[in-house]
Amino acid sequence: MNDIISEIEDIFHSKSLAIYGVSRKGGLGNILLQGFIDQEFPNLFIINPRITEPDVEILGVPVFPDLESIGKPIDLAICSTHPKYVKDIIIECGKYGVKAVVIFSAGFGEKGEQGKKAEQELLEIAQKYNMRLIGPNCMGFYCPETGLSFFPALPTESGPLGFISQSGSIANILAFSSMLKGIRFSKSISYGNAIDLGFNDFLEYLGEDPKTNIIACYMEGIDDGRRFIKLVENINKPIIIWKAGATRAGSKAAHSHTGSLSGNDRLWNNVFEKYRVNRVYNLEEMISMIQAFINPMPVDGRRVAIISGPGGPAVSSADACEMNNLKLADLTNESKAKLREYIPEFGSSMSNPIDLSLQATFDPILEKNAYEIVGTDPKVDMMLIWLTMLTPRYKDLLKLQEDISKPIAIVSGIDVNVSADSFSKKVKRSFIHIRAKKVPDIIKNLNQKGISIHPNEHLAAKALYNIYRFYNSNAN
Amino acid sequence: MNDIISEIEDIFHSKSLAIYGVSRKGGLGNILLQGFIDQEFPNLFIINPRITEPDVEILGVPVFPDLESIGKPIDLAICSTHPKYVKDIIIECGKYGVKAVVIFSAGFGEKGEQGKKAEQELLEIAQKYNMRLIGPNCMGFYCPETGLSFFPALPTESGPLGFISQSGSIANILAFSSMLKGIRFSKSISYGNAIDLGFNDFLEYLGEDPKTNIIACYMEGIDDGRRFIKLVENINKPIIIWKAGATRAGSKAAHSHTGSLSGNDRLWNNVFEKYRVNRVYNLEEMISMIQAFINPMPVDGRRVAIISGPGGPAVSSADACEMNNLKLADLTNESKAKLREYIPEFGSSMSNPIDLSLQATFDPILEKNAYEIVGTDPKVDMMLIWLTMLTPRYKDLLKLQEDISKPIAIVSGIDVNVSADSFSKKVKRSFIHIRAKKVPDIIKNLNQKGISIHPNEHLAAKALYNIYRFYNSNAN
């Protein structure tokens, strides 16, 4: 473990925490604090020099006018004050032996030259005291295992996903969106302007972190391209990157957001392509790709079998596969003969894409048999399954997957859980459906077996291709 | 009104209906029947020659051994039997003066030469009796106004969307998916193998139908390309087409699904481009584009203002706009000065994309003010708004839109209604949210004002560009 990695590991295992910017009247600092309270972080202290009377508590957390008054060692500080107070806070933290400070406060490098000078000054102070800085203009860390947090109401359960984000809000939104799909984090990092620890440091750390199986990132630009390339070349875990600033307009926006230079997009694409980094373009795509890589099934061919009840989406899924560099599997004659025994004679198709006809909606055994026959076919490497909606039949897939261990992507069109108006009650009566509150756990179970669920066939096909490419260095 | 249009109008206004293929033990025919019962279609009769005893009812609908025994005129027949019975049914319907038959049964042209010959025979019989055929291999018609249906539990309320689908299942899935977004239909048509009435006939009909404001289609291929081009050239309503069979694999799949020749995809794209048809590639895109065109706001410029609480999605939305041929609006100095009064000094951006900072999550007035200042800026033609989730603040937008009447697209990341597990309860506590059962009506109200909601920024930008192109023939 090199120095930076062990320092980051220490920060994630901070045992005591002081937070600046919490006040009696509330505000962002109080919201950050609530996050730590929800995670039951053990040793929390509020520093507010305006509150000098003894034994004051806010949200049940003791308030001190300065670090000195706490009288105990503090590992980590969070600074959520007006930017004009940050310098003095950094000095105080340095003197008191704090190991790292998360500067939540914005109003530095992203605001121009003067802000950049202020950042330089903060960095020099920190270096003098051998203290690490995260930010400014960031949300900091979320780590359920050790109780770090950047927002209230985040899951306390850990998971395999490590996330690195230049944008604080995206770290936050991803945590909430993916929560509803049963996705859990090892660590989530929002690093903002990165005057000290930055993207590459955290990428290197997550690359070696035994608790992280998959790395996802939101980035606008990075400082050291060579180091980045060396890292993605050597990290053997799946890496998913949402790289914004792809266009002239986006690049300009990135500059005023985090002061980033987003670079030449074609160069980025070449690097991503060469090192099999999975590039995504928005949150929806990112969640699709995360699901696919929670526990991807090793595969050395790209022959996909498409199974669909509805015939139209079967045709569209064939398009999506070809557009994503996949091949339609040619089933063995044995499989075709077996399918012929089960699939209705009319309104169906035995050749790939396999169209089970409307009958599939009413005959659960039909789907189960088709999954088994197609899934065990030696000429099928991967499966793309179009479901009208998620039904209890997902259990058939979970069971089959134990035998076949092939990448499976599901497209699910109607989410009966989206609304509860009078019509959706009727819909729920017409189809076998799953209780809303069970959905995140079901998705989680599917993901853990290498089965992912996607909002459309193009993302499902992209996920399957990316899994294939991950395991096959000479893929094209 | 030409002959075909008035004939289709008559079919949609059928007053009596006989259905073949309903049995005591249930099956697809019974499900079709339940659809008509749910729509309270007035004069329903079941024809089943195996049931000869008098006064039998299935699902409360009287059963007769043949049309003759009903003793009343029948306008429309639905045939959901094994294909081997279809010919005799068509003959019986013709003799009895039925005006049109929907042949739900599959097993004809899509199965090869013999099936095509059988289709030709059916057509000749129908023509002899001056009767129109729909299908085979289709779901037929859904028309809430007159009580026609193709599935149980569909809304009984009418709306502005006319839909034409070669695939029955997509007609069905779209009806259910869009129901959950408050979208309602004037007519939905699934025409299958189209041996008699086909895509162009229904397109022409919906083009002239005063109840239809927007036309969406799923198609694999059509017979008469010249007629299609003439129709899209002359129809002044927005047309959205999901054209499958775009690739070699998809085209092959289309052929075994509906026997369609899907044609050269580049030619299709040229036609769509020239006549400003909105091409989409999957159901998710189709629902996005339908929402955008329910009541599009006329616009003659493509300068978009992006407003976002979170900064990361603001950058990505700028990318999405440039990728979709839009321009980022340059706000007037007056607007910028006004924004400066309201927007927090730090962690925000006053230049487009306008980043309201995390503060927006906690300060509703901030968003409201930003919407007003930016929306009324004369240099802004359209707005793209990134919301972490749908909140009661949608009302501010509805009100503002009355003054500005500009196209507005919302991207909404987290759907708190997706699940009800213990975490989402916490999420609901942390954010102001909307009750799940209100969501479809809210989306409907927004759509009626020209505001659409999208799952990601790329679909939002595509929707805005397509609206701009719809109103500007020289757009490129």
Side-chain angles (χ1 to χ4, degrees):
Chain A
M1 213 190 269
N2 71 29
D3 285 356
I4 282 194
I5 291 186
S6 78
E7 277 174 12
I8 296 176
E9 178 77 355
D10 283 349
I11 299 172
F12 273 113
H13 288 82
S14 296
K15 297 249 179 302
S16 53
L17 192 143
I19 180 159
Y20 292 79
V22 175
S23 70
R24 280 172 168 131
K25 68 178 174 67
L28 288 181
N30 298 47
I31 284 159
L32 292 176
L33 175 63
Q34 185 64 51
F36 291 94
I37 295 170
D38 285 357
Q39 294 289 330
E40 300 182 12
F41 187 91
N43 298 297
L44 277 174
F45 307 94
I46 295 162
I47 309 294
N48 187 332
R50 286 184 195 163
I51 300 176
T52 49
E53 62 269 39
D55 299 331
V56 174
E57 289 193 345
I58 296 175
L59 296 168
V61 175
V63 183
F64 294 90
D66 50 38
L67 289 173
E68 195 65 45
S69 333
I70 299 176
K72 287 180 193 166
I74 295 296
D75 295 336
L76 181 63
I78 313 280
C79 176
S80 167
T81 65
H82 190 281
K84 68 184 172 190
Y85 303 121
V86 172
K87 184 180 159 188
D88 286 346
I89 291 169
I90 299 295
I91 292 171
E92 189 191 2
C93 289
K95 283 185 179 163
Y96 197 67
V98 169
K99 288 180 193 150
V101 184
V102 172
I103 309 172
F104 180 85
S105 315
F108 289 90
E110 80 282 8
K111 290 282 168 191
E113 274 317 305
Q114 214 176 334
K116 284 206 194 303
K117 263 175 68 181
E119 284 181 348
Q120 188 54 36
E121 214 178 348
L122 297 183
L123 182 61
E124 281 163 16
I125 298 166
Q127 282 170 342
K128 188 176 135 195
Y129 293 107
N130 252 326
M131 185 170 66
R132 303 313 305 236
L133 298 182
I134 301 94
N137 193 17
C138 75
M139 302 280 284
F141 303 114
Y142 163 50
C143 175
E145 188 199 349
T146 61
L148 298 185
S149 183
F150 48 52
F151 212 77
L154 293 171
T156 51
E157 186 192 16
S158 293
L161 175 63
F163 185 57
I164 314 172
S165 178
Q166 197 156 3
S167 158
S169 49
I170 285 181
N172 211 1
I173 293 168
L174 180 69
F176 282 102
S177 307
S178 56
M179 175 199 302
L180 299 169
K181 309 218 179 260
I183 295 168
R184 296 291 181 265
F185 292 78
S186 57
K187 277 105 188 168
S188 181
I189 300 149
S190 149
Y191 65 93
N193 295 8
I195 60 177
D196 182 15
L197 292 175
F199 186 87
N200 284 329
D201 301 317
F202 294 115
L203 183 60
E204 188 171 354
Y205 171 75
L206 291 182
E208 299 206 5
D209 177 29
K211 307 277 170 81
T212 299
N213 300 337
I214 158 180
I215 302 170
C217 319
Y218 169 84
M219 61 136 86
E220 291 171 3
I222 48 167
D223 279 341
D224 186 346
R226 280 170 205 275
R227 187 172 162 214
F228 171 75
I229 289 172
K230 225 174 130 189
L231 286 170
V232 292
E233 193 178 355
N234 289 315
I235 293 174
N236 256 325
K237 303 172 183 180
I239 301 175
I240 298 158
I241 298 186
W242 178 5
K243 163 77 183 69
T247 63
R248 217 163 22 97
S251 159
K252 214 178 127 200
H255 193 59
S256 66
H257 178 225
T258 53
S260 288
L261 296 172
S262 48
N264 178 320
D265 203 58
R266 214 164 48 189
L267 284 182
W268 279 109
N269 270 339
N270 288 344
V271 171
F272 291 164
E273 190 58 44
K274 185 162 178 195
Y275 299 107
R276 289 171 280 161
V277 168
N278 304 288
R279 183 174 191 170
V280 295
Y281 287 88
N282 53 53
L283 185 67
E284 191 183 39
E285 268 196 68
M286 174 164 262
I287 293 173
S288 249
M289 227 47 72
I290 288 170
Q291 279 195 54
F293 278 102
I294 293 234
N295 185 29
M297 294 292 114
V299 66
D300 59 8
R302 59 176 120 178
R303 298 166 302 175
V304 181
I306 298 167
I307 301 184
S308 177
V315 176
S316 179
S317 297
D319 280 337
C321 285
E322 184 154 329
M323 286 173 184
N324 283 283
N325 236 331
L326 299 166
K327 288 174 182 162
L328 288 206
D330 188 14
L331 301 190
T332 61
N333 289 332
E334 202 193 337
S335 298
K336 284 182 195 164
K338 275 197 229 161
L339 280 173
R340 226 166 267 129
E341 286 176 38
Y342 295 108
I343 292 186
E345 190 181 355
F346 305 115
S348 64
S349 171
M350 245 73 71
S351 68
N352 192 11
I354 298 118
D355 173 1
L356 302 181
S357 88
L358 189 62
Q359 193 74 38
T361 315
F362 313 104
D363 180 1
I365 302 305
L366 186 58
E367 247 175 81
K368 185 173 180 287
N369 287 333
Y371 294 160
E372 268 176 34
I373 295 164
V374 174
T376 53
D377 189 311
K379 290 170 98 177
V380 170
D381 302 312
M382 315 198 255
M383 290 167 86
L384 191 158
I385 297 172
W386 217 100
L387 293 177
T388 303
M389 61 181 69
L390 197 59
T391 73
R393 289 171 232 167
Y394 76 90
K395 286 177 195 159
D396 298 334
L397 275 176
L398 279 176
K399 224 175 134 220
L400 174 67
Q401 181 69 308
E402 280 174 24
D403 298 326
I404 64 171
S405 299
K406 294 178 181 181
I408 301 176
I410 294 175
V411 185
S412 190
I414 302 175
D415 187 343
V416 283
N417 303 311
V418 165
S419 123
D421 79 342
S422 60
F423 294 113
S424 78
K425 272 184 215 146
K426 276 198 191 175
V427 178
K428 286 178 187 181
R429 223 185 310 136
S430 301
F431 299 92
I432 312 152
H433 73 288
I434 280 173
R435 291 228 312 276
K437 69 177 195 173
K438 290 193 171 180
V439 171
D441 272 345
I442 289 170
I443 298 178
K444 185 179 173 182
N445 289 340
L446 288 166
N447 291 171
Q448 280 170 352
K449 296 264 188 202
I451 304 171
S452 48
I453 299 189
H454 307 271
N456 64 61
E457 50 272 38
H458 294 83
L459 285 179
K462 184 175 173 178
L464 289 177
Y465 174 71
N466 284 1
I467 292 173
Y468 164 72
R469 196 183 59 159
F470 180 71
Y471 288 107
N472 298 275
S473 55
N474 55 355
N476 58 53
Chain B
M1 213 189 270
N2 70 30
D3 285 355
I4 281 193
I5 291 186
S6 77
E7 278 174 9
I8 296 176
E9 178 77 356
D10 282 349
I11 299 173
F12 273 113
H13 289 82
S14 297
K15 297 251 180 302
S16 53
L17 193 143
I19 180 159
Y20 293 79
V22 174
S23 69
R24 280 174 169 130
K25 68 178 174 67
L28 288 180
N30 298 48
I31 284 159
L32 292 176
L33 174 64
Q34 185 63 50
F36 290 94
I37 294 169
D38 284 357
Q39 294 289 329
E40 301 182 11
F41 188 91
N43 298 297
L44 277 175
F45 306 95
I46 295 162
I47 307 295
N48 187 333
R50 287 183 195 164
I51 301 177
T52 49
E53 62 268 41
D55 300 328
V56 173
E57 289 194 345
I58 296 174
L59 297 167
V61 174
V63 183
F64 294 91
D66 50 39
L67 290 172
E68 194 65 45
S69 333
I70 299 176
K72 289 180 192 168
I74 294 296
D75 295 338
L76 181 64
I78 313 280
C79 176
S80 169
T81 63
H82 190 283
K84 68 184 174 191
Y85 303 121
V86 173
K87 183 180 161 187
D88 286 345
I89 291 169
I90 299 295
I91 293 172
E92 187 191 2
C93 289
K95 283 186 178 162
Y96 197 67
V98 169
K99 289 180 191 150
V101 184
V102 171
I103 309 170
F104 179 87
S105 315
F108 290 90
E110 80 280 9
K111 291 281 167 191
E113 274 318 303
Q114 214 177 334
K116 284 205 195 304
K117 262 176 70 182
E119 284 180 349
Q120 188 53 34
E121 215 178 348
L122 298 183
L123 182 62
E124 281 164 17
I125 297 165
Q127 282 169 342
K128 188 178 137 194
Y129 292 107
N130 251 324
M131 185 170 67
R132 302 313 305 233
L133 298 182
I134 302 93
N137 192 16
C138 75
M139 302 278 286
F141 304 113
Y142 163 51
C143 176
E145 189 200 349
T146 61
L148 298 184
S149 183
F150 46 52
F151 212 78
L154 292 170
T156 52
E157 186 192 17
S158 292
L161 175 63
F163 185 58
I164 314 171
S165 179
Q166 196 156 3
S167 157
S169 50
I170 286 181
N172 210 2
I173 293 169
L174 180 70
F176 282 101
S177 308
S178 56
M179 175 200 304
L180 299 169
K181 310 218 178 260
I183 296 168
R184 296 291 181 266
F185 292 78
S186 57
K187 276 107 187 166
S188 182
I189 300 148
S190 149
Y191 65 92
N193 296 8
I195 61 176
D196 180 15
L197 293 175
F199 186 87
N200 284 328
D201 301 316
F202 295 115
L203 183 61
E204 187 171 354
Y205 170 75
L206 292 181
E208 300 207 4
D209 178 29
K211 307 275 169 83
T212 300
N213 300 337
I214 157 181
I215 302 169
C217 320
Y218 170 84
M219 62 137 86
E220 291 170 3
I222 49 169
D223 278 341
D224 185 346
R226 281 170 203 275
R227 185 172 164 214
F228 172 74
I229 289 173
K230 224 174 131 189
L231 286 170
V232 293
E233 192 178 357
N234 290 315
I235 293 174
N236 256 325
K237 304 173 184 181
I239 301 175
I240 298 158
I241 298 186
W242 177 6
K243 164 77 181 71
T247 63
R248 214 163 24 98
S251 157
K252 214 178 129 201
H255 193 60
S256 67
H257 179 226
T258 55
S260 287
L261 295 172
S262 49
N264 179 319
D265 203 56
R266 213 163 52 189
L267 283 182
W268 279 107
N269 270 341
N270 289 343
V271 171
F272 290 164
E273 190 58 45
K274 185 162 179 196
Y275 299 107
R276 290 172 280 161
V277 169
N278 304 287
R279 183 174 191 171
V280 295
Y281 288 87
N282 54 53
L283 186 68
E284 190 184 39
E285 270 197 66
M286 174 163 263
I287 292 174
S288 248
M289 227 47 73
I290 288 170
Q291 278 194 54
F293 279 103
I294 293 240
N295 185 27
M297 294 292 113
V299 66
D300 59 9
R302 61 176 118 177
R303 298 166 303 176
V304 182
I306 298 165
I307 301 183
S308 176
V315 176
S316 178
S317 298
D319 280 336
C321 284
E322 184 155 328
M323 286 172 183
N324 283 283
N325 236 330
L326 300 166
K327 288 176 183 161
L328 288 206
D330 188 13
L331 300 190
T332 61
N333 289 332
E334 203 191 336
S335 298
K336 283 181 195 164
K338 274 198 231 161
L339 280 174
R340 228 166 265 127
E341 285 176 38
Y342 295 108
I343 291 185
E345 191 181 354
F346 306 115
S348 63
S349 171
M350 245 72 71
S351 67
N352 193 9
I354 297 118
D355 173 0
L356 303 180
S357 87
L358 190 60
Q359 194 74 37
T361 314
F362 312 105
D363 180 2
I365 302 305
L366 186 60
E367 247 175 80
K368 184 173 181 287
N369 287 332
Y371 293 160
E372 266 174 36
I373 296 164
V374 174
T376 54
D377 189 312
K379 292 170 97 176
V380 170
D381 302 312
M382 314 197 255
M383 290 166 84
L384 190 158
I385 296 172
W386 216 101
L387 293 176
T388 302
M389 61 181 69
L390 199 57
T391 73
R393 290 171 231 167
Y394 77 89
K395 286 177 195 158
D396 298 334
L397 275 176
L398 279 177
K399 224 175 133 217
L400 174 68
Q401 181 71 304
E402 280 174 23
D403 298 327
I404 64 172
S405 299
K406 295 178 181 179
I408 300 176
I410 295 175
V411 184
S412 192
I414 303 175
D415 187 343
V416 284
N417 303 312
V418 165
S419 123
D421 79 343
S422 61
F423 295 112
S424 78
K425 271 184 215 147
K426 277 199 191 177
V427 178
K428 286 178 185 179
R429 224 187 307 140
S430 302
F431 299 92
I432 313 153
H433 74 286
I434 280 173
R435 291 228 313 276
K437 68 177 196 173
K438 289 192 170 180
V439 170
D441 272 345
I442 289 170
I443 298 177
K444 185 180 174 182
N445 289 340
L446 288 166
N447 291 171
Q448 280 170 352
K449 295 265 187 201
I451 303 171
S452 47
I453 298 189
H454 307 271
N456 65 61
E457 49 272 38
H458 293 84
L459 284 179
K462 183 175 175 179
L464 290 177
Y465 174 71
N466 283 0
I467 292 172
Y468 164 72
R469 195 183 60 159
F470 180 71
Y471 287 108
N472 299 273
S473 56
N474 54 356
N476 58 54

